[in-house]
Amino acid sequence: MHRLVFRLPEMDEQPAPIVIVVLGPPGAGKGTQSSLLANLLRIPHISIGNLLRWHARDESEVGVRLRGMMALGQLVPDTLVLDVLATRMSEPDCTRGLILDGFPRTLKQAELLERGLLKSPFYANNLGENLVALHLRVQQDTIVGRLSGRRICSRCSATYHLESQPPRVTGECDFDGSALTIREDDRKATVLKRLQIYERETAPILSHYVDKASLLEVDGEQSKENIAQEIVTAIQGILRASIAGAKNIQSTLEDNL
Ligand code: AP5
Ligand code: MG
């Protein structure tokens, strides 16, 4: 039986850390926005896709299986996802909060996350304020354009786009100079398959979050800077309204804006 482990601060040490889950179809900009928000909020960006891709490089039986499933755009079994995620979430940097990019992707995963959070008195008292679900809405045409132009760094996974976010030197990562590559699952047929899976498995989570969390609906067609600004403003509003406060994050935001 899997469970998600949270390292939490002592009760009177700081307010409840915020957990932001970023939802949206492939290419919606989940990774792009999570990375911007992580810098602003100074909380870790946990991309399940990146963690799984890292494990998929392995030549072990699990690595080969993972590669196959991900290349076809299929969801990876929960046992594997939860193993990888629980390991990362038990690291000390998660005590101030975290951004989950790509998890949950099914109602079952959403329930597992809540069950993990509700074990803590921090969340049991006000899950609605401290669990924020962010939904990036984009049209299918936009998705296809974004994913066909996407390039990622083979070493650090930094994301680029041939038109909207080109690297300084063609084909090389700005941060470490490594070669930029095309993700195996960004081929058009696989993108369409991923979209179908998103509609069937993940989209139903949105109505679930209307009851269980603060759901932020964001127009993902705007420039990435405008989207980030809209999200930050909305999160500030939620934090102000929160009974617990989350002063650390609030002051970090104010310092950075
Ligand atoms: P994952 O890596 O999470 O893929 P995804 O959900 O399909 O999303 P993408 O990473 O493709 O898109 P994104 O929304 O992050 O967009 P990005 O910011 O890069 O998952 C991959 C696979 O792992 C899954 O298919 C599955 O196999 C497995 N998996 C993952 N989680 C799982 C789970 N919980 N359970 C089971 N299996 C799981 O942006 C895209 C492009 O657009 C970039 O080039 C970017 O520069 C550009 N861009 C972004 N924003 C803008 C903007 N506002 N304007 C213009 N361009 C923009
Ligand atoms: Mg991504």
Side-chain angles (χ1 to χ4, degrees):
M1 176 66 185
H2 278 276
R3 55 195 189 93
L4 294 173
V5 180
F6 297 87
R7 282 176 63 114
L8 292 163
E10 293 302 317
M11 198 61 182
D12 54 357
E13 196 182 307
Q14 66 176 53
I18 194 167
V19 175
I20 303 175
V21 300
V22 186
L23 303 165
K30 300 183 293 298
T32 304
Q33 290 304 322
S34 299
S35 165
L36 288 169
L37 281 176
N39 283 332
L40 281 172
L41 300 171
R42 299 205 194 120
I43 54 176
H45 164 201
I46 302 182
S47 161
I48 317 308
N50 284 350
L51 290 173
L52 291 171
R53 272 185 287 283
W54 183 256
H55 284 272
R57 292 174 174 194
D58 206 84
E59 281 310 323
S60 64
E61 196 187 323
V62 173
V64 173
R65 244 183 91 209
L66 258 180
R67 268 206 300 282
M69 286 184 284
M70 293 176 78
L72 293 173
Q74 295 167 350
L75 290 187
V76 170
D78 280 353
T79 43
L80 263 172
V81 173
L82 293 170
D83 259 354
V84 167
L85 186 60
T87 305
R88 178 64 186 89
M89 282 171 75
S90 63
E91 286 176 23
D93 61 340
C94 293
T95 54
R96 291 196 66 232
L98 58 141
I99 300 171
L100 283 176
D101 160 14
F103 187 92
R105 251 175 230 254
T106 60
L107 273 174
K108 187 174 167 214
Q109 290 182 356
E111 284 160 9
L112 282 167
L113 176 66
E114 277 143 42
R115 216 179 297 157
L117 290 171
L118 286 170
K119 288 204 177 96
S120 148
F122 284 117
Y123 297 100
N125 295 331
N126 50 12
L127 190 68
E129 286 88 25
N130 290 316
L131 177 62
V132 176
L134 188 65
H135 175 215
L136 295 168
R137 278 192 320 264
V138 284
Q139 307 288 329
Q140 184 159 328
D141 287 353
T142 309
I143 291 170
V144 173
R146 285 188 185 172
L147 295 184
S148 61
R150 174 164 63 183
R151 299 293 181 270
I152 57 166
C153 173
S154 49
R155 180 183 296 207
C156 73
S157 304
T159 301
Y160 300 87
H161 189 277
L162 294 181
E163 284 155 22
S164 66
Q165 199 183 339
R168 283 195 290 270
V169 177
T170 306
E172 285 181 18
C173 178
D174 292 351
F175 302 104
D176 55 29
S178 301
L180 300 186
T181 56
I182 301 177
R183 256 171 61 173
E184 185 69 19
D185 58 351
D186 276 351
R187 295 167 203 286
K188 192 167 177 196
T190 315
V191 169
L192 297 178
K193 169 101 183 293
R194 285 159 63 203
L195 275 169
Q196 278 175 358
I197 294 177
Y198 175 80
E199 288 304 328
R200 194 180 66 226
E201 303 287 344
T202 312
I205 300 180
L206 295 171
S207 42
H208 171 82
Y209 276 140
V210 171
D211 296 331
K212 298 282 181 183
S214 302
L215 177 66
L216 297 181
E217 289 283 352
V218 181
D219 174 8
E221 300 276 344
Q222 311 171 71
S223 73
K224 57 182 198 290
E225 294 79 10
N226 284 359
I227 299 170
Q229 183 64 58
E230 190 175 322
I231 296 170
V232 162
T233 305
I235 288 180
Q236 279 180 312
I238 291 170
L239 294 181
R240 268 190 216 110
S242 159
I243 304 160
K247 290 197 187 72
N248 289 349
I249 290 176
Q250 179 72 31
S251 54
T252 307
L253 275 173
E254 280 160 5
D255 290 349
N256 279 282
L257 287 175

